[in-house]
Amino acid sequence: MAHTHVSKEGASLADFFHLLRLRKALIFLILSLVVITTVVVTAFLPKWYLSTLNVRVEKPEGEVKLFQAQSSGYYDPYFLQDQFKIMQSAKVLYPVIENLGLNDKIGRSIGAYAPLATDETYNYLLKKMLRVESPRGSSMIEVGVYSQDAALAAAIANEIARVYSDDRIMFATSEQREGLTQLRKELESQERTVSLQRDMVEQLRKDLGISGVDLNARYSDMEIETLRQMQNSLIALSVDAIGRKTRYERFKSIPAEDRINLINSELIQDPNIQNLLQAYLIADQNVTKFRARLGAAHPELIGATDNRAKIKEQLDAQLRGYESALEIAYKEADARVAELKNQLAQAKVDQILSARDRMRPFEEAARKLEDETRLLSTLKVTLRQREIDFQVPKRSIEILNYAEPARRAAKPSWPLNIAFAVLFGGVLGIGTAVLIEFFDTSFRNVAELEGRLGKPVLGVIPHSSEAVPPAKSGIVEDPAELEPFRVLHTNLNLALKGVTPGRSLVMLSAGPGEGKSTTVLRLARSMGAAGERVLLVDSDLRRPTQHQLAALPKEPGLADLLQGKATLEKVTQRGVSPGLDFIPCGAVGGFTLSLLYIDRLKALLAELRGRYDRVIFDAPPIIGVSDASVLASVADDVLLLVQHRRNPHSMVVRAQQIIEGLHKQIVGVVLNRVPVNSSDDYGYYTRNYAYYSARENRSSERRDKRSRTEQAERAKSDERITFTERERDERRKS
């Protein structure tokens, strides 16, 4: 009976699938509980409605210049990621919370007794309600809002789009507004300068008594032409200096932490800064990705964080350098203006000293008035150009569709929850089955049983849910069900090297409920059907069951015989099945087998040896009940029955130790209640035993014929039993 045995460490894929088949009821139970729990929980979860809108956002190409050549903007692949953060920033969501009164509405929805603080509402909106995402390779952004109120979800989504659109427009026109404000201030200052210079010219005209002089007259004097050219250069340099100063002061007023969000190709035309910005965005994305799936102490996350910090330091250094460059350029422009003014003043002095004394002051004042007037005209033209540019519409965001109140709840999702429940329940069920299998210390196969106990397995009895039919019920049992007991009978005879008349046998088990009584009854019937004279004694006085299995009277029996209340002939029920007699337990009434009855049991066995070929005792469990030890000490042979996958190894080994402590050797072991699908333990027997069932299926007509003559066979059987009893009586008399 050697079988291959696969240990836990060497389990194969086939063993795993066999385990799933073996534990399919447990797996299905756990899966059903998880699915039912998920369905119940999902049914009671609050319903969340989703409202979505789509917007298309394009990166601005800078200020629209109607009077200058247009240049293409720099492509930024991370522009949409920045817009995601802007949409979820307090700059956009705080106005939304205030405009819609979300502090009170969300507070009521979550059961708060008072309106929430704005920061609490912002965190709840950001974590629980808002979802911003974009399809890959597209400039569109989808804004989704979850809420238990469908109308509120749509209102929040639309308000976010409106506030974000206004913010985009404000950002796109912020530089133009600041430039226009500065130009208006310079224009007002220049108008005052022109007015003062005009008053000075008029005053000189009165003082010098000059009348009828054309202030726009052109002089052919080379020095005057040179002064005019220098004056024109001074005007151009002054305008350039004003622009550089405005750019420097605006950039300097921006906080250092906000400068990184304002970098674009129009404001900072430095490729190094643009490249560092791209590198910083990539590093920040890596840190976010690693932080979502790695621990804080993970080397990759630490390395990514350090890399981002180094790039940030380089970017800040470049921005500081850019600020210094703006300052240097601004100071250089001021220095050029100052130097040109000095040169112009010196030229004017030289001209005054060399020109006519009387006309020189008036001409200088008139020329200065002309220059200031020209500068005033230039400022007016520039201001008008910027005002026209400012009025051109800025296309920064396009709302493709507005959010509508949802008709059906988006969360909880029944298909998703049930799918996850099936997946989780399957994994949990399989994991539980694997854990039970791993920690199961019971005997699983023949090889394990023989290797641990050191005794041969004489029989493998399959699990059967059908009750044992009474011998005289007329029910014909399937030969395939009887064959395991015939095999056990044959192996037992071979192990004992022949049958000695009158030899007694007791079948023991470690614990109750292992099917020992049923196995003993069927084995006894099999021996009787094979032609042996068998006596079955129900010696389990604690929980007798043989009289119930055989549908026979319980009294009188063994207890009455040992107490001297009845004779052997009176307690013996003869011919309960072919070749089988039966002694029930009798009127127990608290009676137990003790050492006082050992001599009587030995005398009983001595008396029965001449009458029967085999005397079989159905005994109680060996552990915890003293009756089994008494029976084992007087019986000739001991069989140990072990139920498949029931008791741990230690319990069965302890039962073996108790039996061997009584100086009794176990003839063999019976592995009982083995499932039909139990791999190699019963597979070999199933294929062989199925031969009889197949034979029966092929000869169904024969069975029908036998069923018609069933009564006749019963009558003949009764005659044979009667003849057998008569023959036994004659033998006893002789």
Side-chain angles (χ1 to χ4, degrees):
M1 287 201 175
H3 296 282
T4 58
H5 170 58
V6 179
S7 65
K8 296 178 181 178
E9 293 77 7
S12 63
L13 185 61
D15 298 321
F16 176 73
F17 284 110
H18 168 67
L19 171 62
L20 298 185
R21 291 193 301 270
L22 185 65
R23 303 288 185 179
K24 60 184 178 182
L26 174 64
I27 296 174
F28 180 75
L29 175 62
I30 295 176
L31 177 61
S32 302
L33 291 177
V34 173
V35 172
I36 292 173
T37 303
T38 302
V39 170
V40 173
V41 172
T42 303
F44 286 96
L45 285 176
K47 295 180 174 58
W48 289 78
Y49 297 90
L50 173 64
S51 293
T52 60
L53 60 83
N54 293 279
V55 297
R56 182 173 62 186
V57 182
E58 295 181 355
K59 184 178 179 181
E61 298 181 355
E63 179 185 356
V64 179
K65 300 178 177 62
L66 298 180
F67 303 97
Q68 300 181 21
Q70 300 297 313
S71 60
S72 60
Y74 180 80
Y75 175 70
D76 185 0
Y78 300 100
F79 171 71
L80 287 181
Q81 296 184 8
D82 295 338
Q83 303 313 306
F84 290 167
K85 295 181 180 179
I86 293 174
M87 279 189 176
Q88 301 175 68
S89 65
K91 180 181 180 182
V92 174
L93 296 184
Y94 271 40
V96 172
I97 294 172
E98 182 179 357
N99 296 340
L100 298 180
L102 297 183
N103 289 332
D104 183 53
K105 294 180 180 179
I106 293 180
R108 289 200 306 269
S109 67
I110 63 176
Y113 296 102
L116 301 177
T118 304
D119 58 338
E120 295 177 342
T121 306
Y122 169 75
N123 292 328
Y124 185 86
L125 181 64
L126 192 62
K127 296 178 180 178
K128 296 288 187 181
M129 303 177 66
L130 183 59
R131 185 197 68 189
V132 182
E133 56 187 17
S134 173
R136 180 174 297 180
S138 173
S139 61
M140 291 189 300
I141 298 177
E142 182 180 284
V143 180
V145 177
Y146 290 94
S147 177
Q148 298 181 24
D149 185 355
L152 180 61
I156 294 175
N158 293 328
E159 186 65 15
I160 289 176
R162 187 190 67 79
V163 174
Y164 172 71
S165 177
D166 294 343
D167 178 74
R168 290 285 300 157
I169 294 174
M170 289 290 292
F171 176 75
T173 59
S174 60
E175 184 179 357
Q176 289 180 296
R177 286 196 303 272
E178 294 177 3
L180 288 175
T181 301
Q182 188 65 27
L183 279 175
R184 289 191 181 99
K185 292 180 180 179
E186 294 294 334
L187 182 60
E188 293 175 357
S189 176
Q190 189 63 25
E191 286 178 347
R192 290 193 296 270
T193 302
V194 170
S195 178
L196 293 175
Q197 188 65 28
R198 185 178 293 110
D199 294 341
M200 182 181 295
V201 170
E202 293 299 327
Q203 185 64 36
L204 287 174
R205 187 192 300 274
K206 292 179 181 179
D207 294 342
L208 298 175
I210 301 173
S211 60
V213 177
D214 187 6
L215 298 178
N216 295 322
R218 296 294 182 265
Y219 299 97
S220 58
D221 191 359
M222 181 62 71
E223 293 180 356
I224 297 176
E225 184 64 22
T226 301
L227 290 175
R228 184 178 293 111
Q229 293 178 359
M230 294 178 66
Q231 188 68 35
N232 292 336
S233 299
L234 179 60
I235 293 173
L237 289 176
S238 298
V239 172
D240 181 68
I242 292 173
R244 292 179 181 274
K245 180 180 179 181
T246 302
R247 190 177 186 87
Y248 165 69
E249 291 179 349
R250 181 177 179 273
F251 187 85
K252 184 178 180 181
S253 63
I254 299 174
E257 62 273 9
D258 295 336
R259 292 177 180 177
I260 190 172
N261 297 325
L262 301 177
I263 297 176
N264 56 60
S265 60
E266 187 64 23
L267 181 60
I268 301 177
Q269 300 176 355
D270 188 346
N272 294 329
I273 296 179
Q274 298 292 336
N275 294 334
L276 280 176
L277 175 62
Q278 302 308 315
Y280 174 75
L281 293 175
I282 294 174
D284 183 66
Q285 185 182 19
N286 292 334
V287 171
T288 304
K289 179 175 65 178
F290 289 150
R291 185 174 296 157
R293 61 186 181 90
L294 301 178
H298 197 276
E300 291 186 7
L301 177 58
I302 296 173
T305 305
D306 295 339
N307 184 41
R308 183 184 63 178
K310 292 179 180 179
I311 296 175
K312 182 66 168 57
E313 292 177 0
Q314 295 176 4
L315 186 59
D316 292 340
Q318 288 287 342
L319 291 174
R320 290 193 298 270
Y322 180 76
E323 179 181 358
S324 301
L326 291 178
E327 182 180 5
I328 292 172
Y330 155 65
K331 291 181 178 180
E332 287 179 353
D334 279 350
R336 285 195 295 270
V337 171
E339 180 62 23
L340 188 56
K341 285 182 178 180
N342 293 333
Q343 294 178 5
L344 182 59
Q346 185 63 35
K348 289 180 179 180
V349 171
D350 295 340
Q351 184 185 17
I352 291 173
L353 294 176
S354 61
R356 293 167 297 181
D357 295 338
R358 187 170 181 274
M359 293 298 296
R360 184 70 64 180
F362 177 76
E363 291 177 355
E364 291 292 334
R367 189 178 298 109
K368 185 176 181 181
L369 176 59
E370 182 181 0
D371 295 338
E372 297 294 344
T373 303
R374 188 181 299 112
L375 177 58
L376 178 61
S377 300
T378 302
L379 290 174
K380 287 181 179 180
V381 171
T382 303
L383 178 61
R384 184 56 181 164
Q385 290 177 355
R386 298 295 178 87
E387 288 177 344
I388 295 174
D389 291 339
F390 182 76
Q391 294 173 3
V392 175
K394 305 299 185 296
R395 188 184 65 175
S396 59
I397 178 174
E398 179 183 4
I399 300 178
L400 302 179
N401 68 285
Y402 286 94
E404 298 291 339
R407 298 181 179 180
R408 297 179 180 177
K411 293 191 303 185
S413 175
W414 283 92
L416 183 63
N417 287 6
I418 292 178
F420 273 110
V422 171
L423 178 61
F424 178 75
V427 173
L428 181 61
I430 294 174
T432 303
V434 172
L435 285 177
I436 291 176
E437 181 72 12
F438 183 80
F439 290 106
D440 184 10
T441 60
S442 61
F443 288 101
R444 312 179 189 189
N445 50 53
V446 173
E448 185 179 6
L449 188 59
E450 291 181 341
R452 189 66 184 269
L453 299 182
K455 299 295 180 181
V457 175
L458 302 181
V460 177
I461 310 301
H463 178 77
S464 177
S465 59
E466 299 180 359
V468 181
K472 296 183 179 181
S473 63
I475 300 177
V476 179
E477 295 189 68
D478 189 358
E481 295 184 3
L482 299 176
E483 191 62 23
F485 301 97
R486 295 171 184 166
V487 173
L488 174 59
H489 179 205
T490 302
N491 292 336
L492 180 60
N493 289 338
L494 294 175
L496 295 175
K497 299 179 181 180
V499 179
T500 302
R503 197 171 183 87
S504 59
L505 172 70
V506 60
M507 183 174 289
L508 302 174
S509 64
E514 298 190 46
K516 171 174 49 59
S517 298
T518 303
T519 304
V520 166
L521 176 60
R522 290 206 166 188
L523 177 60
R525 287 184 180 180
S526 177
M527 291 178 175
E532 296 184 17
R533 296 172 299 167
V534 182
L535 175 63
L536 175 60
V537 181
D538 189 358
S539 55
D540 187 355
L541 305 180
R542 313 271 182 160
R543 295 177 59 183
T545 56
Q546 290 294 340
H547 66 283
Q548 298 175 355
L549 295 175
L552 296 172
K554 177 182 177 181
E555 302 176 4
L558 179 63
D560 303 294
L561 178 62
L562 294 178
Q563 296 178 76
K565 297 180 181 180
T567 63
L568 177 62
E569 299 297 333
K570 186 176 181 181
V571 299
T572 303
Q573 300 180 21
R574 303 183 182 278
V576 295
S577 69
L580 176 64
D581 293 347
F582 174 59
I583 296 179
C585 63
V588 179
F591 176 78
T592 60
L593 293 176
S594 62
L595 297 177
L596 298 176
Y597 298 100
I598 289 182
D599 294 336
R600 295 185 183 181
L601 284 173
K602 291 181 179 179
L604 176 62
L605 289 175
E607 183 179 357
L608 294 174
R609 280 193 178 93
R611 301 184 182 185
Y612 296 96
D613 298 325
R614 185 83 66 181
V615 179
I616 302 177
F617 289 93
D618 181 11
I622 188 66
I623 296 179
V625 181
S626 61
D627 297 13
S629 299
V630 174
L631 291 170
S633 64
V634 299
D636 297 322
D637 305 316
V638 176
L639 273 179
L640 179 61
L641 183 136
V642 178
Q643 182 176 339
H644 183 266
R645 288 181 178 269
R646 180 179 178 88
N647 295 323
H649 292 179
S650 58
M651 186 174 179
V652 178
V653 172
R654 179 55 183 163
Q656 181 187 21
Q657 293 173 351
I658 294 175
I659 296 172
E660 293 177 351
L662 299 173
H663 304 289
K664 290 289 183 178
Q665 291 296 326
I666 299 175
V667 178
V669 183
V670 179
L671 186 60
N672 192 33
R673 291 182 180 176
V674 180
V676 177
N677 59 352
S678 180
S679 184
D680 57 352
D681 278 341
Y682 191 61
Y684 304 129
Y685 301 97
T686 303
R687 289 190 291 270
N688 294 332
Y689 299 160
Y691 168 76
Y692 295 95
S693 298
R695 188 175 181 180
E696 290 294 323
N697 292 333
R698 290 193 302 267
S699 57
S700 58
E701 296 179 358
R702 299 178 186 176
R703 289 198 303 270
D704 295 339
K705 185 177 180 179
R706 286 199 302 271
S707 65
R708 289 193 297 269
T709 60
E710 181 179 358
Q711 295 179 352
E713 291 181 357
R714 291 179 182 176
K716 293 179 181 179
S717 176
D718 293 340
E719 292 177 0
R720 287 195 298 269
I721 293 173
T722 305
F723 176 76
T724 302
E725 292 177 353
R726 187 181 303 112
E727 183 181 5
R728 290 174 181 173
D729 292 339
E730 292 177 355
R731 289 182 180 179
R732 284 196 298 270
K733 292 178 181 179
S734 62

